[in-house]
């Protein structure tokens, strides 16, 4: 069986793909997946599901939701042993089951290792495969509590790092023209992430679009000053000066 949380939570069994529809049961499953292989205490689960509005009989209600999730997993193909009761709470035991977030992290790590070894085509394929696992925001709308929200935030940050690594490999391989449009879109979505501005400037300069590269720098300066009252970081300023000077080193790998 396979659990997927990089988007709307779903479970892929031997015969079908299943989605859990009851929101609180979904939050419960999301929390157990976020801490897969670890005990999540009863109090943590109650806080994740209800926050500071827990009902008077929250412990009894939690048992009902655990039963609902167990029933859902059995219908999806589980043998009934995945959710384990422990003295302090519950644990989701993966065993031989798959988890898409673990696959994502493994592919990112494999890609980093291939970058280190100079195997850039292989690294690019690892990063592309990792990003292809994403179907939407991690956990989708089940981010009600601190455990799931922290896990989703970490996964999103790793996704953005993977995007940066992927774009770095495109530049290394001389495929700068292919990523210009994607970088404009990424800057629109993440206007304070300076690496995307730097890579876009590099891609434009290598595409013989020097004026546009300088316009991107001015846009970065304006946005950072407007939002945070800050100047661009040193690597972005250095790239700007290098473009103005027509530095020959700009034809190589981005710094």
């Amino acid at each position: 069986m396979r659990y997927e949380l990089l988007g709307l939570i779903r479970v892929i069994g031997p015969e079908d793909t299943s989605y859990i529809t009851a929101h609180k049961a979904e939050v419960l499953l999301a929390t157990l997946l976020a801490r897969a292989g670890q005990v999540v205490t009863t109090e943590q689960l109650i806080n994740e599901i209800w926050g500071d509005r827990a009902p008077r009989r929250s412990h009894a209600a939690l048992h009902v939701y655990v039963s609902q999730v167990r029933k859902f997993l059995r219908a999806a193909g589980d043998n009934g042993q995945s959710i384990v009761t422990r003295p302090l709470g519950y644990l989701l035991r993966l065993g031989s089951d798959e988890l898409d977030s673990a696959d994502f992290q493994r592919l990112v790590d494999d890609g980093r290792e291939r970058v280190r070894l100079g195997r850039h085509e292989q690294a690019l394929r690892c990063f592309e495969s990792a990003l292809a696992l994403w179907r939407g925001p991690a956990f989708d709308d089940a981010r009600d509590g601190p455990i799931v929200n922290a896990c989703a935030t970490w996964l999103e940050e790793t996704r953005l790092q993977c995007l940066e690594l992927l774009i770095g490999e495109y530049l290394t391989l001389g495929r700068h023209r292919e990523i210009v449009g994607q970088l404009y879109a990424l800057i629109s979505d993440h206007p304070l992430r300076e690496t995307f501005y730097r890579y876009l400037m590099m891609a434009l300069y290598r595409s013989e679009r020097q004026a546009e590269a300088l316009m991107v720098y001015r846009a970065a300066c304006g946005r950072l000053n407007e939002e945070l009252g800050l100047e661009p970081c040193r690597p972005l300023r250095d790239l700007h000066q290098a473009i103005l000077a027509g530095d020959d080193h700009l034809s190589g790998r981005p710094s």
Side-chain angles (χ1 to χ4, degrees), residues 104-128 130 154-166 169 193 199 253:
F104 168 70
Q105 187 62 62
R106 175 181 53 78
L107 285 164
V108 173
D109 291 343
D110 288 349
R112 290 181 190 274
E113 177 63 14
R114 282 161 174 75
V115 171
R116 189 185 69 80
L117 296 172
R119 300 173 182 172
H120 299 292
E121 288 283 1
Q122 294 177 9
L124 187 146
R125 288 195 292 271
C126 285
F127 297 139
E128 287 181 332
W154 168 72
L155 285 167
E156 174 61 16
E157 176 59 27
T158 308
R159 186 185 72 86
L160 290 172
Q161 291 175 14
C162 184
L163 274 166
E164 291 177 352
L165 290 163
L166 173 68
E169 292 309 292
R193 203 164 183 101
Y199 279 171
R253 184 173 183 170

Side-chain angles (χ1 to χ4, degrees), residues 34 134 137-139 143 147-158:
W134 287 73
F139 298 100
R143 298 174 57 167
I147 291 175
V148 175
N149 194 56
C151 184
T153 300
W154 168 72
L155 285 167
E156 174 61 16
E157 176 59 27
T158 308

Side-chain angles (χ1 to χ4, degrees), residues 89-108:
Y90 299 91
L91 174 150
L92 190 146
R93 182 168 52 198
L94 286 175
S96 61
D97 293 334
E98 299 175 355
L99 182 62
D100 64 348
S101 59
D103 292 341
F104 168 70
Q105 187 62 62
R106 175 181 53 78
L107 285 164
V108 173

Side-chain angles (χ1 to χ4, degrees), residues 145-210:
I147 291 175
V148 175
N149 194 56
C151 184
T153 300
W154 168 72
L155 285 167
E156 174 61 16
E157 176 59 27
T158 308
R159 186 185 72 86
L160 290 172
Q161 291 175 14
C162 184
L163 274 166
E164 291 177 352
L165 290 163
L166 173 68
I167 291 165
E169 292 309 292
Y170 268 95
L171 288 168
T172 297
L173 293 166
R175 297 171 61 178
H176 37 272
R177 296 180 189 274
E178 298 176 40
I179 56 173
V180 169
Q182 182 182 10
L183 280 165
Y184 272 116
L186 286 169
I187 286 171
S188 178
D189 291 339
H190 307 281
L192 301 181
R193 203 164 183 101
E194 294 182 53
T195 302
F196 292 144
Y197 288 103
R198 184 161 57 95
Y199 279 171
L200 177 56
M201 289 170 64
M202 182 67 73
L204 287 168
Y205 182 80
R206 291 182 181 179
S207 301
E208 301 177 349
R209 297 162 67 177
Q210 178 179 344

Side-chain angles (χ1 to χ4, degrees), residues 23-32 45 49 62 65-66 69:
H23 181 68
K24 287 183 170 56
E26 182 186 31
V27 172
L28 171 63
L29 178 57
T31 307
L32 294 173
L45 289 168
I49 295 170
L62 176 61
Y65 292 129
V66 170
V69 173

